[in-house]
Amino acid sequence: MSDTHDPFLAALDAYAAAVAAKDVDAFAALYDDDVHVFDLWGRWELRGLAAWRAMAQEWFGSLGAETVAVTYAQAHSHTGGELAYGHAFLTYTAHAADGARLRSLDNRISLALARRDGRWKIVHEHTSAPVDHASGKAVLKRDGAG
């Protein structure tokens, strides 16, 4: 990511573009070598770019002919000096090869970015969803009430 007025929004836009293209290289380029990720899916954490790249390779490969559109809402961020952070709600919508909408889910994202050699890199990512206490299951659809 190049230096922009809002590195957090630039990161979200680049993330969405990389996911839509299923471009592992573009996806990995958003992250610092020492990235630390608390991902919503499967594992408590992933450390380092190699582990995060492998996750993206597996994810994108599992999609077959499907594509995924990522959109965001209620994005808030702050930049100060060499650090930036922000949080937003993300919606992931899967589409069939013919463009038909297949499914979608929502989650929350928080990112911390640091300027590395003049470029913003994600150094920490945390995705989450609330848990319904009665069922113990993640709530993956946002009701819009926030």
Side-chain angles (χ1 to χ4, degrees), residues 40-41 105-108 127-142:
L40 180 63
W41 303 105
L105 64 86
D106 302 317
N107 72 19
R108 306 174 292 202
T127 55
S128 66
V131 173
D132 176 76
H133 288 275
S135 69
K137 294 182 179 180
V139 178
L140 298 175
K141 286 290 183 192
R142 196 165 67 92

Side-chain angles (χ1 to χ4, degrees), residues 107-127:
N107 72 19
R108 306 174 292 202
I109 190 166
S110 298
L111 297 177
L113 300 98
R115 195 186 321 254
R116 304 281 197 241
D117 298 322
R119 300 179 64 79
W120 289 100
K121 296 286 186 170
I122 299 167
V123 295
H124 180 67
E125 177 174 319
H126 189 135
T127 55

Side-chain angles (χ1 to χ4, degrees), residues 4-6 9 12 18 20-21 25 34 38 52 57 69 75 82 92 94 96-98 103 114 117 121 132 141 144 146:
T4 75
H5 181 68
D6 190 328
L9 293 179
L12 292 180
D25 291 333
D34 294 323
F38 295 151
W52 195 230
Q57 185 79 44
E82 300 298 305
Y92 294 81
D98 66 3
R103 64 192 169 277
D117 298 322
K121 296 286 186 170
D132 176 76
K141 286 290 183 192

Side-chain angles (χ1 to χ4, degrees), residues 20-108:
K22 297 189 268 190
D23 186 336
V24 174
D25 291 333
F27 184 89
L30 300 171
Y31 295 87
D32 189 68
D33 289 340
D34 294 323
V35 67
H36 190 182
V37 178
F38 295 151
D39 195 22
L40 180 63
W41 303 105
R43 294 179 231 169
W44 280 97
E45 67 180 342
L46 291 136
R47 288 183 180 264
L49 186 56
W52 195 230
R53 174 187 274 280
M55 180 287 308
Q57 185 79 44
E58 182 180 324
W59 175 26
F60 297 163
S62 75
L63 295 173
E66 293 179 10
T67 58
V68 175
V70 180
T71 56
Y72 57 87
Q74 296 184 25
H76 300 280
S77 63
H78 179 76
T79 303
E82 300 298 305
L83 296 174
Y85 64 88
H87 54 86
F89 296 115
L90 297 183
T91 299
Y92 294 81
T93 305
H95 297 273
D98 66 3
R101 185 177 185 271
L102 299 172
R103 64 192 169 277
S104 71
L105 64 86
D106 302 317
N107 72 19
R108 306 174 292 202

